[in-house]
């Protein structure tokens, strides 16, 4: 059974940092990604990483502030978030699939989400 479990969310002041983790079990994937959903908004792509290639891609709004990485032996993906802004406030979801895409329906498995709140 595939399971994705996120952790690391919390409350932080603007300009601060958080590191999210996503532990995967059950199988391996070609691509893993982070999405987020703010209140009243649609779920949006944040970043992705190729599990074997290490290829990364970011949405423009986080490029240079967020860094996605993975630890293959631990089957865990990370999102280091620096210089956080109030507009980064959202529930962050990790996702796994086989297409390095930026659309929600391109991913097969999802975690339960972890909440990030950035105060001004």
């Amino acid at each position: 059974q595939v399971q994705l479990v996120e952790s690391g969310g919390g409350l932080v002041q603007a300009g601060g940092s958080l590191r999210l983790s996503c532990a995967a079990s059950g199988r391996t994937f070609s691509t893993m990604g982070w999405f987020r959903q703010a209140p009243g908004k649609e779920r949006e792509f944040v970043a992705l990483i190729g599990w074997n290639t290490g290829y990364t891609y970011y949405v423009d709004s986080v490029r240079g502030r967020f860094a996605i990485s993975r630890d293959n032996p631990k089957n865990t993906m990370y999102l280091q978030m620096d210089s956080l802004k109030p507009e980064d406030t959202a529930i962050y979801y990790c996702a796994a699939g086989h297409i390095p895409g930026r659309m929600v329906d391109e991913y097969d498995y999802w975690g339960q989400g972890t909440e990030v709140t950035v105060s001004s």
Side-chain angles (χ1 to χ4, degrees), residues 2-3 6 13-14 16 22-23 34 37 39-40 47 53 61 74 78-79 88 93-96 100-101 105 117-118:
V2 175
Q3 213 173 9
E6 302 101 330
Q13 288 190 328
C22 174
W34 289 99
Q37 188 165 16
T53 65
S61 59
K74 292 184 178 180
Y78 303 98
L79 186 68
D88 295 317
Y93 297 90
C94 79
D105 57 9
T117 303
V118 184

Side-chain angles (χ1 to χ4, degrees), residues 29-88:
F29 303 93
S30 302
T31 301
M32 292 189 72
W34 289 99
F35 286 73
R36 65 187 180 186
Q37 188 165 16
K41 295 189 176 182
E42 293 187 351
R43 193 170 298 189
E44 65 169 357
F45 168 81
V46 175
L48 67 83
I49 188 164
W51 200 251
N52 296 315
T53 65
Y55 168 79
T56 60
Y57 186 82
Y58 301 89
V59 69
D60 286 347
S61 59
V62 309
R63 189 173 289 118
R65 300 189 297 121
F66 290 10
I68 190 171
S69 62
R70 88 286 195 209
D71 184 329
N72 292 49
K74 292 184 178 180
N75 226 19
T76 300
M77 175 179 65
Y78 303 98
L79 186 68
Q80 177 67 42
M81 305 187 294
D82 298 322
S83 302
L84 281 161
K85 304 176 181 180
E87 51 263 43
D88 295 317

